Amino acid sequence: MWWPGTLIGAGAGFAIASIPGAMLGALLGQALDRRLNLQGWAQVRERLGGRPALRNDELLFVLLGRLAKCDGRVVDGHIQQARQEMRALDLSESAQRRAIAAFNRGKSGNDHLRGYLRRLSTQPHAAEGVLRACWRMVWADGRAGPGERELIARWGKWLGWTQQQVQALAGEYEPQKLAPPSSGITYQEAMRLLGVSATSEPSQIKRAYRRLLSRHHPDKIAGSGATPLQVREATDKTRELHNAYRLIRERRDFR
C-alpha cells in the first residue's frame, strides 16, 4: 500500500525539482506518514476533517458501536455487551473512557474502516478476536439482521477471511444453538464453577463471574499468542461461565 504522505510528497517534489525533488519529497512524506501513523486515504480525510485517527485499542469499540446502531436503535443488551467486552479486556479507567467514546463514535457510521482492518489483517489472532466480539454484539439483542451480517461479512473480507469462515463463527454465539442454562449443569455445579456458595451475596457472585470471564476470555487468550485450539477451549470455557452465571442469577433472582 502506498502511504498517502509518501505519495503526496513524491508528487509535489517532482513538480518542483523533477526526480531529485520526488525522491526528497517521498522521504519527507514517509517520515510524516510514520509520525502520524497514516496508512490510507481514509485516515487523511479524518485528519483534514478534524477527526482523530483511530488507535488500535479503539477500533474494536467503533465496530461494536456501528453494529449496535445498525438496525436503528441501540438497546440495553448492546450496552451491556459493550461493558462486558471492556471487563473481559481488563481495560484501565482511561482506556474505558476511550472505549466508550469509540463506541459512541461508531454509532455515527462516519469512520472509514477499510484501512484499519486491512492493517489488522496482519495479526490473525487479533483479527479473529475482533470478529468474535462483533458476533457477540450482534446476538446481544437475540437476533442478527441482514444489515449486521453484511457489515461483518465486509469487515471479515478486509481482515482476510472468507465469507464461509466469517459465517462459521456466527453459530458459536447464536442463542438458539447455545445450550440452555439448565441443560447439562446443575445449580450446585454452577456455583462450584464460579467458586461461590449458596450464601454468597449477589455482588460477590458478580465479581467472581467477571474475574473468571476476564481470565478465560478468548480475545485475551488470542492476544497473548495462544494457538487456535487454546482459543477454542477458552471460548467453550467462557460459554460455560455464561450459562453458570445465568442459572445462578435466575435462581437467586438478581440482575
Coordinates of all heavy atoms in Angstrom, one line a residue, residues 31-95:
A31 N 8.3 10.1 6.3 CA 8.5 10.5 7.7 C 7.2 11.0 8.4 O 6.9 10.7 9.5 CB 9.6 11.5 7.8
L32 N 6.5 11.8 7.6 CA 5.2 12.3 8.1 C 4.2 11.1 8.3 O 3.4 11.1 9.3 CB 4.6 13.3 7.1 CG 3.3 14.0 7.5 CD1 3.4 14.8 8.7 CD2 2.8 14.8 6.3
D33 N 4.2 10.2 7.3 CA 3.3 9.0 7.5 C 3.6 8.3 8.7 O 2.6 7.9 9.5 CB 3.5 8.1 6.3 CG 2.8 8.6 5.0 OD1 1.7 9.3 5.1 OD2 3.3 8.3 3.9
R34 N 4.8 8.1 9.0 CA 5.2 7.3 10.2 C 4.9 8.0 11.5 O 4.4 7.5 12.4 CB 6.7 7.0 10.2 CG 7.1 6.0 9.1 CD 8.6 5.6 9.1 NE 9.0 4.7 8.1 CZ 8.8 3.4 8.1 NH1 8.3 2.9 9.2 NH2 9.2 2.6 7.1
R35 N 5.1 9.3 11.5 CA 4.8 10.1 12.7 C 3.3 10.2 13.0 O 2.9 10.1 14.1 CB 5.4 11.5 12.5 CG 5.1 12.4 13.7 CD 5.8 13.8 13.5 NE 5.7 14.6 14.7 CZ 6.4 14.5 15.8 NH1 7.4 13.6 15.9 NH2 6.2 15.3 16.8
L36 N 2.5 10.3 11.9 CA 1.1 10.4 12.1 C 0.3 9.1 12.0 O -0.9 9.0 12.1 CB 0.4 11.4 11.1 CG 0.9 12.8 11.2 CD1 0.3 13.7 10.2 CD2 0.7 13.4 12.6
N37 N 1.1 8.0 11.7 CA 0.6 6.6 11.5 C -0.5 6.6 10.5 O -1.6 6.1 10.6 CB 0.0 6.1 12.9 CG -0.3 4.6 12.8 OD1 0.4 3.9 12.1 ND2 -1.2 4.2 13.6
L38 N -0.2 7.2 9.3 CA -1.1 7.3 8.2 C -0.9 6.1 7.3 O 0.2 6.0 6.8 CB -1.0 8.6 7.4 CG -1.3 9.9 8.2 CD1 -1.0 11.1 7.3 CD2 -2.7 9.9 8.7
Q39 N -1.9 5.3 7.1 CA -1.7 4.1 6.2 C -2.9 4.0 5.2 O -3.1 3.0 4.6 CB -1.6 2.8 7.0 CG -0.4 2.8 7.9 CD -0.1 1.5 8.5 OE1 -0.5 0.5 7.9 NE2 0.4 1.4 9.7
G40 N -3.6 5.1 5.0 CA -4.7 5.1 4.0 C -5.3 6.5 3.8 O -5.1 7.3 4.7
W41 N -6.0 6.6 2.7 CA -6.6 7.9 2.4 C -7.7 8.3 3.4 O -8.0 9.4 3.7 CB -7.1 8.0 1.0 CG -6.0 7.9 0.0 CD1 -5.7 6.8 -0.8 CD2 -5.0 8.9 -0.3 NE1 -4.6 7.1 -1.6 CE2 -4.2 8.3 -1.3 CE3 -4.8 10.2 0.2 CZ2 -3.1 9.0 -1.8 CZ3 -3.7 10.9 -0.3 CH2 -2.9 10.3 -1.3
A42 N -8.4 7.2 4.0 CA -9.4 7.5 4.9 C -8.9 8.2 6.1 O -9.5 9.1 6.7 CB -10.1 6.2 5.3
Q43 N -7.7 7.8 6.6 CA -7.1 8.5 7.7 C -6.7 9.9 7.4 O -6.8 10.8 8.3 CB -5.9 7.7 8.2 CG -6.2 6.3 8.8 CD -5.0 5.4 8.9 OE1 -4.4 5.0 7.9 NE2 -4.6 5.1 10.1
V44 N -6.3 10.2 6.2 CA -6.0 11.6 5.8 C -7.3 12.4 5.8 O -7.3 13.5 6.3 CB -5.4 11.6 4.4 CG1 -5.3 13.0 3.9 CG2 -4.1 10.9 4.3
R45 N -8.4 11.8 5.3 CA -9.7 12.6 5.3 C -10.1 12.9 6.8 O -10.6 13.9 7.1 CB -10.7 11.8 4.6 CG -10.6 11.7 3.1 CD -11.8 11.2 2.4 NE -12.1 9.8 2.8 CZ -11.6 8.8 2.0 NH1 -10.9 9.0 0.9 NH2 -11.9 7.5 2.4
E46 N -9.9 11.9 7.7 CA -10.2 12.1 9.1 C -9.4 13.2 9.7 O -9.9 14.1 10.4 CB -10.1 10.8 9.9 CG -11.1 9.8 9.5 CD -10.8 8.4 10.2 OE1 -9.7 8.3 10.8 OE2 -11.6 7.5 10.1
R47 N -8.1 13.2 9.4 CA -7.3 14.3 9.9 C -7.7 15.7 9.4 O -7.8 16.6 10.1 CB -5.8 14.0 9.5 CG -5.2 12.8 10.1 CD -4.7 13.1 11.5 NE -4.1 11.9 12.1 CZ -3.4 11.9 13.3 NH1 -3.3 13.1 13.9 NH2 -2.9 10.9 13.7
L48 N -8.0 15.7 8.1 CA -8.3 17.0 7.5 C -9.7 17.5 8.0 O -9.9 18.7 8.1 CB -8.4 16.9 6.0 CG -7.0 16.7 5.3 CD1 -7.2 16.4 3.8 CD2 -6.1 17.8 5.5
G49 N -10.5 16.5 8.4 CA -11.8 16.9 8.9 C -11.8 17.1 10.4 O -12.9 17.3 11.0
G50 N -10.6 17.1 11.0 CA -10.5 17.4 12.5 C -10.9 16.2 13.3 O -11.1 16.3 14.5
R51 N -11.0 15.0 12.7 CA -11.4 13.8 13.4 C -10.1 13.0 13.6 O -9.4 12.6 12.7 CB -12.3 13.0 12.5 CG -13.1 11.9 13.3 CD -14.2 11.4 12.4 NE -15.0 10.4 13.0 CZ -16.1 10.7 13.8 NH1 -16.4 11.9 14.0 NH2 -16.8 9.7 14.3
P52 N -9.8 12.7 14.9 CA -8.5 11.9 15.2 C -8.5 10.5 14.6 O -9.6 9.9 14.6 CB -8.5 11.9 16.7 CG -9.9 12.1 17.1 CD -10.5 13.0 16.1
A53 N -7.4 10.1 14.2 CA -7.3 8.7 13.6 C -7.5 7.7 14.8 O -7.2 8.0 15.9 CB -5.9 8.5 13.0
L54 N -8.0 6.5 14.4 CA -8.3 5.5 15.4 C -7.0 4.9 16.0 O -6.2 4.5 15.2 CB -9.2 4.5 14.9 CG -10.7 4.8 14.6 CD1 -11.4 3.7 13.9 CD2 -11.4 5.1 15.9
R55 N -7.0 4.7 17.3 CA -6.0 3.9 17.9 C -6.4 2.4 17.7 O -7.6 2.1 17.6 CB -5.8 4.2 19.4 CG -5.3 5.6 19.6 CD -5.6 6.0 21.1 NE -5.1 5.0 22.0 CZ -4.0 5.2 22.8 NH1 -3.3 6.3 22.7 NH2 -3.6 4.2 23.6
N56 N -5.5 1.5 17.8 CA -5.8 0.1 17.7 C -6.8 -0.4 18.7 O -7.6 -1.2 18.5 CB -4.5 -0.7 17.7 CG -3.7 -0.6 16.4 OD1 -4.2 -0.2 15.4 ND2 -2.4 -1.0 16.5
D57 N -6.6 0.1 20.0 CA -7.4 -0.3 21.1 C -8.8 0.3 21.0 O -9.7 0.0 21.8 CB -6.8 0.0 22.4 CG -6.5 1.4 22.7 OD1 -6.7 2.2 21.7 OD2 -6.1 1.8 23.8
E58 N -9.1 1.3 20.1 CA -10.4 1.9 19.9 C -11.2 1.3 18.8 O -12.4 1.4 18.7 CB -10.2 3.4 19.7 CG -9.6 4.1 20.9 CD -9.2 5.6 20.5 OE1 -8.9 5.8 19.3 OE2 -9.2 6.4 21.4
L59 N -10.5 0.7 17.8 CA -11.1 0.2 16.6 C -12.2 -0.8 17.0 O -13.3 -0.7 16.4 CB -10.0 -0.5 15.7 CG -10.6 -1.2 14.5 CD1 -11.3 -0.2 13.6 CD2 -9.4 -1.9 13.7
L60 N -12.0 -1.7 17.9 CA -13.0 -2.7 18.2 C -14.3 -2.1 18.6 O -15.4 -2.5 18.2 CB -12.4 -3.6 19.4 CG -13.5 -4.6 20.0 CD1 -14.0 -5.5 18.9 CD2 -12.9 -5.3 21.2
F61 N -14.2 -1.1 19.5 CA -15.4 -0.5 20.0 C -16.1 0.4 19.0 O -17.3 0.6 19.1 CB -15.1 0.3 21.3 CG -14.8 -0.7 22.4 CD1 -13.5 -1.1 22.7 CD2 -15.8 -1.2 23.2 CE1 -13.2 -2.0 23.7 CE2 -15.6 -2.2 24.2 CZ -14.3 -2.5 24.5
V62 N -15.4 0.9 18.0 CA -16.0 1.6 16.9 C -16.9 0.6 16.1 O -18.0 0.9 15.7 CB -15.0 2.3 16.0 CG1 -15.6 2.7 14.7 CG2 -14.4 3.5 16.7
L63 N -16.3 -0.6 15.9 CA -17.0 -1.6 15.2 C -18.3 -2.0 16.0 O -19.4 -2.2 15.4 CB -16.1 -2.8 14.9 CG -14.9 -2.6 14.1 CD1 -14.0 -3.9 14.1 CD2 -15.3 -2.3 12.7
L64 N -18.1 -2.2 17.3 CA -19.3 -2.6 18.1 C -20.3 -1.6 18.1 O -21.5 -1.9 18.1 CB -18.8 -2.9 19.5 CG -17.8 -4.1 19.7 CD1 -17.4 -4.3 21.1 CD2 -18.3 -5.3 19.0
G65 N -19.9 -0.3 18.2 CA -20.9 0.8 18.1 C -21.7 0.8 16.8 O -22.9 1.0 16.8
R66 N -21.0 0.6 15.7 CA -21.7 0.6 14.4 C -22.7 -0.6 14.3 O -23.8 -0.4 13.8 CB -20.7 0.5 13.3 CG -21.3 0.7 11.9 CD -20.4 0.9 10.8 NE -19.6 2.2 11.0 CZ -18.8 2.7 10.0 NH1 -18.6 2.0 8.9 NH2 -18.2 3.8 10.2
L67 N -22.3 -1.7 14.8 CA -23.2 -2.9 14.8 C -24.4 -2.6 15.7 O -25.6 -2.9 15.3 CB -22.5 -4.1 15.3 CG -21.5 -4.8 14.3 CD1 -20.7 -5.9 15.0 CD2 -22.2 -5.3 13.1
A68 N -24.2 -2.0 16.9 CA -25.3 -1.8 17.8 C -26.3 -0.8 17.2 O -27.5 -1.0 17.4 CB -24.8 -1.2 19.1
K69 N -25.9 0.1 16.4 CA -26.8 1.1 15.8 C -27.3 0.7 14.4 O -28.1 1.4 13.8 CB -26.0 2.5 15.7 CG -26.8 3.6 15.2 CD -27.8 4.1 16.2 CE -28.5 5.4 15.8 NZ -29.5 5.8 16.7
C70 N -26.8 -0.4 13.9 CA -27.1 -0.8 12.5 C -28.6 -0.9 12.2 O -29.0 -0.5 11.2 CB -26.4 -2.2 12.2 SG -26.6 -2.8 10.5
D71 N -29.3 -1.4 13.2 CA -30.8 -1.6 12.9 C -31.6 -0.4 13.4 O -32.8 -0.4 13.4 CB -31.3 -2.8 13.7 CG -30.9 -4.1 12.9 OD1 -30.5 -4.0 11.8 OD2 -30.9 -5.2 13.6
G72 N -30.9 0.7 13.7 CA -31.6 2.0 14.0 C -31.7 2.3 15.5 O -31.9 3.5 15.8
R73 N -31.6 1.3 16.4 CA -31.7 1.6 17.8 C -30.8 0.8 18.6 O -30.7 -0.4 18.5 CB -33.2 1.3 18.2 CG -33.5 1.8 19.6 CD -35.0 1.8 19.8 NE -35.6 0.4 19.8 CZ -35.7 -0.3 20.9 NH1 -35.4 0.2 22.1 NH2 -36.2 -1.6 20.9
V74 N -30.1 1.4 19.6 CA -29.2 0.7 20.5 C -30.0 0.4 21.7 O -30.6 1.2 22.4 CB -28.0 1.6 20.9 CG1 -27.1 0.9 21.9 CG2 -27.2 2.1 19.7
V75 N -30.1 -0.9 22.0 CA -30.9 -1.4 23.2 C -29.9 -1.7 24.3 O -28.7 -1.7 24.2 CB -31.7 -2.7 22.8 CG1 -32.6 -2.4 21.6 CG2 -30.7 -3.8 22.4
D76 N -30.5 -2.0 25.5 CA -29.7 -2.2 26.7 C -28.8 -3.4 26.5 O -27.7 -3.4 27.1 CB -30.7 -2.4 27.9 CG -29.9 -2.6 29.2 OD1 -29.3 -1.6 29.6 OD2 -30.0 -3.7 29.8
G77 N -29.2 -4.4 25.8 CA -28.4 -5.6 25.6 C -27.1 -5.2 24.9 O -26.0 -5.7 25.2
H78 N -27.1 -4.2 24.0 CA -25.9 -3.8 23.3 C -25.0 -3.1 24.3 O -23.7 -3.3 24.3 CB -26.3 -2.8 22.2 CG -27.0 -3.4 21.1 ND1 -28.1 -2.8 20.5 CD2 -26.8 -4.6 20.4 CE1 -28.6 -3.6 19.5 NE2 -27.8 -4.7 19.4
I79 N -25.5 -2.2 25.1 CA -24.7 -1.5 26.1 C -24.1 -2.5 27.1 O -22.9 -2.4 27.4 CB -25.6 -0.5 26.9 CG1 -26.3 0.5 26.0 CG2 -24.8 0.2 28.0 CD1 -25.3 1.4 25.2
Q80 N -24.9 -3.5 27.6 CA -24.3 -4.4 28.5 C -23.2 -5.3 27.8 O -22.2 -5.6 28.5 CB -25.4 -5.4 29.0 CG -26.5 -4.7 29.8 CD -25.9 -4.0 31.0 OE1 -25.0 -4.5 31.7 NE2 -26.4 -2.8 31.4
Q81 N -23.4 -5.6 26.6 CA -22.4 -6.4 25.9 C -21.1 -5.6 25.7 O -20.0 -6.1 25.9 CB -22.9 -6.8 24.5 CG -21.9 -7.7 23.7 CD -21.6 -9.0 24.5 OE1 -22.6 -9.6 25.1 NE2 -20.4 -9.5 24.5
A82 N -21.2 -4.3 25.4 CA -20.0 -3.4 25.3 C -19.3 -3.4 26.6 O -18.0 -3.4 26.7 CB -20.4 -2.0 24.8
R83 N -20.0 -3.3 27.7 CA -19.4 -3.2 29.1 C -18.7 -4.5 29.4 O -17.7 -4.6 30.0 CB -20.5 -2.9 30.1 CG -21.0 -1.5 30.1 CD -22.1 -1.3 31.0 NE -22.6 0.1 31.0 CZ -23.7 0.5 31.6 NH1 -24.5 -0.3 32.2 NH2 -24.1 1.8 31.5
Q84 N -19.4 -5.6 28.9 CA -18.8 -6.9 29.2 C -17.4 -7.1 28.4 O -16.5 -7.7 28.9 CB -19.7 -8.0 28.8 CG -19.2 -9.4 29.1 CD -20.3 -10.5 28.9 OE1 -21.4 -10.4 29.5 NE2 -20.1 -11.4 28.0
E85 N -17.4 -6.6 27.2 CA -16.1 -6.6 26.4 C -15.0 -5.8 27.1 O -13.9 -6.2 27.2 CB -16.4 -6.1 25.0 CG -17.3 -6.9 24.2 CD -16.9 -8.3 23.9 OE1 -15.7 -8.6 24.0 OE2 -17.8 -9.1 23.5
M86 N -15.4 -4.7 27.7 CA -14.4 -3.9 28.4 C -13.9 -4.6 29.6 O -12.7 -4.6 29.9 CB -15.0 -2.5 28.8 CG -15.2 -1.5 27.7 SD -15.7 0.1 28.2 CE -17.4 -0.1 28.4
R87 N -14.8 -5.3 30.4 CA -14.4 -6.0 31.6 C -13.5 -7.2 31.1 O -12.5 -7.4 31.8 CB -15.6 -6.5 32.3 CG -16.4 -5.5 33.1 CD -17.4 -6.1 34.0 NE -18.4 -6.9 33.4 CZ -19.6 -6.4 33.0 NH1 -19.9 -5.2 33.2 NH2 -20.4 -7.2 32.4
A88 N -13.9 -7.9 30.1 CA -13.1 -9.0 29.6 C -11.7 -8.6 29.2 O -10.7 -9.4 29.4 CB -13.8 -9.7 28.5
L89 N -11.5 -7.4 28.6 CA -10.2 -7.0 28.2 C -9.4 -6.3 29.4 O -8.3 -5.9 29.2 CB -10.4 -6.0 27.1 CG -10.9 -6.6 25.8 CD1 -11.2 -5.5 24.8 CD2 -10.0 -7.6 25.2
D90 N -10.1 -6.2 30.5 CA -9.4 -5.6 31.7 C -8.9 -4.2 31.4 O -7.7 -4.0 31.7 CB -8.4 -6.6 32.2 CG -7.9 -6.3 33.6 OD1 -8.7 -5.7 34.4 OD2 -6.8 -6.7 34.0
L91 N -9.7 -3.4 30.8 CA -9.2 -2.1 30.5 C -9.1 -1.2 31.7 O -9.8 -1.2 32.6 CB -10.2 -1.4 29.5 CG -10.5 -2.1 28.2 CD1 -11.5 -1.3 27.3 CD2 -9.2 -2.3 27.4
S92 N -8.1 -0.3 31.6 CA -7.9 0.7 32.7 C -9.0 1.7 32.6 O -9.8 1.8 31.6 CB -6.5 1.4 32.5 OG -6.5 2.2 31.3
E93 N -9.1 2.6 33.6 CA -10.1 3.6 33.6 C -10.0 4.5 32.4 O -11.1 4.8 31.8 CB -10.0 4.4 34.9 CG -11.2 5.4 35.1 CD -11.1 6.1 36.4 OE1 -10.4 5.7 37.3 OE2 -11.8 7.2 36.5
S94 N -8.8 5.0 32.0 CA -8.7 5.8 30.9 C -9.0 5.1 29.6 O -9.6 5.7 28.7 CB -7.3 6.4 30.8 OG -6.3 5.4 30.7
A95 N -8.6 3.8 29.5 CA -8.9 3.0 28.3 C -10.4 2.8 28.2 O -11.0 2.7 27.1 CB -8.2 1.7 28.4

